[in-house]
Each structure stands twice: as structure tokens, then as C-alpha cells.
Amino acid sequence: MQSVYLDYAATTPMDPEVLEEMMPYFTEMFGNPSSVYSLASRSRKAIDRAREQVASALNADVSEIFFTSSGTEADNWALKGIVERSGVPGAHVITTRIEHHAVLHTAEYLQKFEDASVTYLPVDAEGRVSLEDLKAAFTDKTVLVSVMFANNEVGTIQPIGEIGKLCRERGVPFHTDAVQAAAQLDIDVKALNIDMMSMSAHKMYGPKGTGAFFVRRGLKLENLVHGGGQEKGRRASTENIAGIVGMGAAIERMKARLPQERPRLTALRDRLIEGVLKTVPHAKLNGARGEERLPNNTNFSFIGVEGETLLLDLDSKGISASTGSACSSGSLDPSHVLMAMGLSHEQAHGSLRMTLGRGTSDEQVDYVLATLPEVVAKRRAMSPLWDERLGSVPGR
Amino acid sequence: MALDYSEKVMDHFSNPRNVGEIENPDGVGEAGNPKCGDIMKIYLRVRDNVIEDVRFKTFGCASAIASSSMATEMIKGKTVDEAWDLTNRAVADALDGLPPIKMHCSVLAEEAIHRALNDYRSKHGLEVLPIEEFDHEHDHCSV
């Protein structure tokens, strides 16, 4: 049986070259960078190099890059750090309804414990925020705007440059969660007027447990983890050197491959999208098309079928995918992203996300296109919702 | 999630028994709510007070489909009164257990069967029995 991994947005396998660069820092080069002897200095140099690699990938300065344990931690830092430092009573934060829970749950925490007020911007049917809505949301207490660069479920890319410009004009810090986007796109933080950006190594063929956080120089941000002097005392704790080396190596390699990989994935993505829409009746593409969609993301709704059943059926055929369906996750509510885009519960429950990556081939896309229609048809045949959809009389 | 399912659940999910509908059924019952991601429909054919045939159609996750399949197997050949006594716990046990978050799927099967049996009872002048209503929306999804 074929083995087809199509969940690169969940995580990616490590690039063997990245792993090779990390290995010495688990064993012989184990020195604590805070110590003075030469073993320690080798660890320090490794961190400096990784910081340069990340900074150079984003057109940032090395002093603007901080290493964290994850993209989630960077998101927490951005929101908590700005609100806590602002000193504004009842500080106002603008974000969106389709953020990752790392942002949404942090915003809820700030509402609960920091007396913050939060505006959750709606999105259109393709998952895009409106600049007019954003303009209208600013108040004299707005201390932060946080809009994700590209959505993890449907891949829609937000108008980040315009949002950055609007925020800069108003002097309001702009944070973007680029955990998905930074693994797929060329990002210039200066050109886009980004003040803070969250990234994660394991989405770009690096290790799990390491993230990077860009913070524009001079931005007033409270520290997140209190302790020793690591990361200029702003994010204490002994550095995860191997992980940091992996983050730097991963982003550098990812960036070098982008000119070939982006058009390759875009072509595979579009072939998969067109193929599914053609071969599966009543299939709906969720999210934007073309340049406004991440090159590796596809997301469909198949009315009449529940997402988890699709995942298990596909898994039995060797295909690993994911769903925004409630039943597959810990919660039983359907995807907040699909609901914010105006999908019905039935559509949201019948969603399937397939995300492509380095291992995805033409042959694999063919295999999915040969497998998916029969799987959907099989489950629809036993679905009472599909009967209603077809307008048949119940109990006929 | 697949790892949380027993082999029996996966068997009944992959090869569900009694899928389909019955023409001119003697009883039809439906339970669930498409908003919550599961809806179950049970069709009965009853001869001489015995469930001669039973079919189901289900929209829902693997445990909803497996619960439908197992529950229909368990009431086939039973009398109408015996079938009424089938509990959700018995369905879950017969499947070698369901993950706690999926227990409502077995409740759904019990409820759909009760509704189908009541449909039959009302058509045949039998007493319609009280059904313990499960609050689907409140208990497992916030819509």
C-alpha cells in the first residue's frame, strides 16, 4: 500500500541535514552558553549563527530575533507582553475570529485577568479580514493588532502589508502569527511593517520544541519568562541549543529551496484542487485561490460525510490527512475557522484538509484523486444527510 | 483518534452491518442533530412482534457508525419489548468500549431505536413509552 503523508501543516519530518547540524549539540558540544570556558563559547557561537540565519531570512536585525520553545509561546509573549507593558487600563486588542488557539486563548486570558477588551474581526467567505473592519475597530485604547499571516486550516493569506501600514500609521504595534506562512513564503518584516512575528521550526523541517520570535527594535514588550540572563534577560532559561541550531538551519534551507519549491507545490495544489472538485460531486473548496492561498494548502467540505470517518477511511488506504471536524479533536465543536467563514455546521463537520510538502509527488496526488471519490461515495451512501441533500423522501 | 478505538469499533466502522433503508417500514426513528455532527436513522420491519429486519443510516464519526451497526445487530430477532431494554451501555460494552468523549454515540443509538419502536407502537395501538431525552446540544456540543 502507498503511504501518502498530507498533513505538512500539522508537522513536517526533519530535514536530515538539519538533524546532522544539531547532533553535536546533544553530545560533545554540550556546554552551557552562560559559562566562560571555550566549550561554552562554542555553544554561544552556535546560537549567534542561528540568530543570524533567522534574521537574514526575514530581513531583520540579529538583535530582533528571540528563540522560544514554540510558535505558541511566541504568540503568548506578543499578546501578554504588549498588554502588560502598555499600562493602559482596559487595554484594547484587535485580532480575528480565525486565529490559532494560541492567540485566541491568550486573548481570552487577557480579557479575564488583565481587564483587556478584545475585538475579534470577522472574515469573508474565503477567510479574509476586511481593512475597513480593521480601521473601524481602532479605539484610543488599542495597544495591539494581531492578525495571522496565513490561516492554518484553509491557507488564506491575509493582506499583511496593508494591515502593517494601517497599524504603523496609527502607531499601534502589529503582531502576526506566521507559523504556517513562514514555512511557505518569503517574508520581509521591514517591507510589511511587521512589529512582531511568531514562527515554529517543526513546520519547516526543523525540530519540534523550538520557535522564533521577531520583535522590532525599540518595541515596548514585557518579558515572558523570568529568570537568568538568557535572550537578553527577556526569555530566561538555559537555551535549547540543538533546537536553536535546528531552527536556524531549517529556515536557511527552507528559504534556499523556496524558488523551486513554491511553484512546484502550487502546481500540485492546484491539480489536487481541480481534481477533487471534478471527481467528487458537491465538493466545496474552503479558502481563497491562487496567490492568496498558501502554496501547500487544500481544504474541502463534502456535505453528507463526517470528517473523522474520511480520515479513518483514508488512513486505511495509507493517506494521512486532517479535518476541522469536531469529532476528530478533543472538542466536539466544529472548526471555529470554517464557522467564521459562514459554513453551515454540516459543511464544517464534513471538512478535509490535505497539506502538501517536500515529499509530495505527482504520483501521490494521482493516488489521492483515485482514492478519495470512492471513500466519500461510500460514506455518503450510508448518510441520512446525503439523502436530504438529494431531496429524496425519507423512508422511501 | 483512531488509536482510541477498539478493534471491534474499527471492524463495525469499516464493515458496518445493516446499512440501508427498509421500504414501507413498520417503524422509523431518528436521533441526533446535524449541528453536533451526528444523526442516526433506524428502520424496523416487525413480524409477529419480532424485529425481523433492521437497517440504519448514520451521519457521524466512526463511533456513531459503529454504534449504529452494533445496536442493529443486537436487536435483530428480538421481540419489540426485548429490544426496548437495549441500553447504550450494552452497545458500548459490545464494542469493547468507546472513548469517554464518544459515549454519546451509543446514547444516540439507544434513542434512535426507542423512537423507531415507539413509531411502531403508536401505529399498532400499543402504549407509547417515555424516552429518556438526551440533551445533545447541551451535553456534547455548544451550538
Side-chain angles (χ1 to χ4, degrees), chain A residues 234-310:
Chain A
R234 306 192 64 180
R235 197 275 180 188
S237 78
T238 298
E239 296 88 341
N240 172 7
I241 302 156
I244 289 169
V245 165
M247 174 86 219
I251 201 167
E252 187 178 78
R253 274 167 185 71
M254 187 273 300
K255 189 93 175 179
R257 295 175 76 133
L258 217 54
Q260 292 81 44
E261 192 65 354
R262 186 172 175 180
R264 188 186 80 87
L265 287 178
T266 304
L268 284 173
R269 173 198 74 181
D270 290 343
R271 203 158 73 75
L272 182 58
I273 289 174
E274 296 318 319
V276 169
L277 295 180
K278 210 170 92 185
T279 54
V280 182
H282 300 279
K284 176 187 184 305
L285 176 71
N286 298 316
R289 282 178 183 258
E291 290 287 301
E292 288 183 59
R293 184 181 199 105
L294 285 177
N296 74 328
N297 174 289
T298 69
N299 186 308
F300 304 93
S301 281
F302 304 109
I303 194 94
V305 193
E306 203 280 330
E308 189 202 59
T309 66
L310 283 181

Side-chain angles (χ1 to χ4, degrees), chain A residues 304-306 308-309 312-313 327-333 345-346 349 378-379 381-385 387 394-396, chain B residues 1-2 5 13-14 16 19 21 23 34-37 41 43 57-62 65 101-102 140-143:
Chain A
V305 193
E306 203 280 330
E308 189 202 59
T309 66
L312 292 172
D313 285 333
C327 266
S328 67
S329 61
S331 133
L332 289 163
D333 293 325
H345 279 87
E346 292 86 338
H349 278 297
K378 172 186 161 190
R379 291 301 168 186
M382 62 180 75
S383 167
L385 285 183
D387 289 343
R396 68 182 181 264
Chain B
M1 263 335 248
Y5 288 134
F13 163 68
S14 305
V19 173
E21 297 170 18
E23 265 186 67
K35 280 188 181 177
C36 297
K41 207 161 179 178
Y43 301 81
K57 280 209 163 179
T58 292
F59 164 79
C61 59
I65 290 170
I101 199 170
K102 305 284 192 178
H140 87 278
C141 89
S142 53
V143 289

Side-chain angles (χ1 to χ4, degrees), chain A residues 118-183:
Chain A
V118 181
T119 300
Y120 298 92
L121 296 175
V123 294
D124 65 17
E126 293 186 340
R128 207 178 293 102
V129 296
S130 123
L131 296 172
E132 293 311 310
D133 286 344
L134 172 59
K135 279 183 203 163
F138 283 98
T139 72
D140 54 1
K141 287 193 169 185
T142 305
V143 297
L144 175 69
V145 171
S146 180
V147 177
M148 74 196 320
F149 206 114
N151 184 263
N152 49 310
E153 288 186 35
V154 297
T156 301
I157 300 170
Q158 302 296 336
I160 292 300
E162 283 101 322
I163 295 170
K165 191 160 163 283
L166 277 178
C167 293
R168 190 59 58 86
E169 284 165 5
R170 286 161 178 77
V172 173
F174 171 44
H175 166 250
T176 187
D177 172 347
V179 166
Q180 294 295 334

